[in-house]
Amino acid sequence: MKDFLFYLQLGWDHIMSLDALDHQLFILALIASYSFKDFKKLLILVTAFTIGHCITLALSSFDIIRVKSSWVEFLIPCTIVITALDNILLRGKRPYQYYFALFFGLIHGMGFANTARMMLAKEQSITVPLLGFNIGLELGQIAMVLIILTIFTILSKLTKMNQREWLLITSSASGALALQMALERLPF
């Protein structure tokens, strides 16, 4: 149980820490077109991302997949830029967003893969660490979704901002920050 809780906390910190800006920006861009009334859809969307993340961590733990970290660090902000552009140009909430979330989860999972590979190599079984980490990640993402939706609800009441304005502001801001990150991390 102690190991499970350790990995649960690690997953939670992976999304909630101040060092997790790339994950937080991705969640912001991913859910920008939604509100509390779409909470069930948001849970599915966030879970699709977690599943992708989990697959990559599992494949990495068994050393089946390995991508140069310089490319991963570049691709992660690219996922945010693509999501933000999709929001701005196509206004979000399309069925393929679930596939985007799953695929982009694979990429984001590679960002933690090297650390996970070293940590999980010490374990006899990867089941408890992967389960704990991904449940912690999922709980952190749900908490992040609740925080973002609460901020939007408060801001919309205070400023009369509508969903489309929120979508444009958050997508533009997250996309611009991610573009800067991507340019700083060019792998060549």
Side-chain angles (χ1 to χ4, degrees):
M1 187 62 163
K2 189 173 107 176
D3 287 346
F4 176 81
L5 293 175
F6 170 79
Y7 286 103
L8 182 85
Q9 183 67 46
L10 191 63
W12 172 269
D13 291 344
H14 186 65
I15 188 73
M16 296 302 285
S17 78
L18 296 176
D19 296 333
L21 182 61
D22 53 357
H23 267 81
Q24 294 161 359
L25 288 175
F26 181 74
I27 296 296
L28 176 62
L30 187 66
I31 71 164
S33 61
Y34 295 91
S35 65
F36 273 116
K37 67 180 170 53
D38 303 307
F39 197 71
K40 184 177 177 183
K41 291 178 186 176
L42 284 170
L43 286 178
I44 295 168
L45 196 60
V46 167
T47 301
F49 178 80
T50 302
I51 290 168
H53 206 281
C54 182
I55 290 169
T56 305
L57 287 178
L59 292 174
S60 173
S61 321
F62 291 117
D63 212 13
I64 294 171
I65 185 171
R66 214 179 258 238
V67 178
K68 286 181 75 171
S69 61
S70 59
W71 275 100
V72 174
E73 292 305 313
F74 168 71
L75 289 173
I76 287 173
C78 289
T79 66
I80 302 163
V81 172
I82 292 167
T83 304
L85 285 173
D86 182 62
N87 286 343
I88 293 166
L89 301 174
L90 302 173
R91 297 185 180 195
K93 280 193 181 179
R94 281 160 312 288
Y96 64 78
Q97 278 188 308
Y98 299 105
Y99 301 108
F100 266 19
L102 179 69
F103 180 70
F104 291 163
L106 292 169
I107 294 169
H108 282 250
M110 284 188 266
F112 190 68
N114 289 335
T115 305
R117 191 180 300 110
M118 289 185 297
M119 291 178 71
L120 295 176
K122 300 174 193 169
E123 300 290 332
Q124 291 180 352
S125 167
I126 66 161
T127 306
V128 169
L130 278 179
L131 187 63
F133 180 84
N134 285 294
I135 290 172
L137 179 72
E138 182 78 356
L139 292 172
Q141 289 177 155
I142 292 168
M144 187 62 58
V145 166
L146 290 170
I147 291 166
I148 292 167
L149 291 178
T150 301
I151 290 169
F152 166 65
T153 301
I154 292 168
L155 284 176
S156 67
K157 289 186 188 316
L158 292 175
T159 65
K160 306 295 184 222
M161 181 187 318
N162 64 35
Q163 186 73 41
R164 179 69 182 145
E165 292 166 329
W166 170 257
L167 176 72
L168 289 173
I169 291 167
T170 57
S171 296
S172 297
S174 59
L177 282 169
L179 181 61
Q180 179 182 354
M181 283 182 201
L183 293 173
E184 289 171 355
R185 299 174 182 180
L186 285 171
F188 36 82

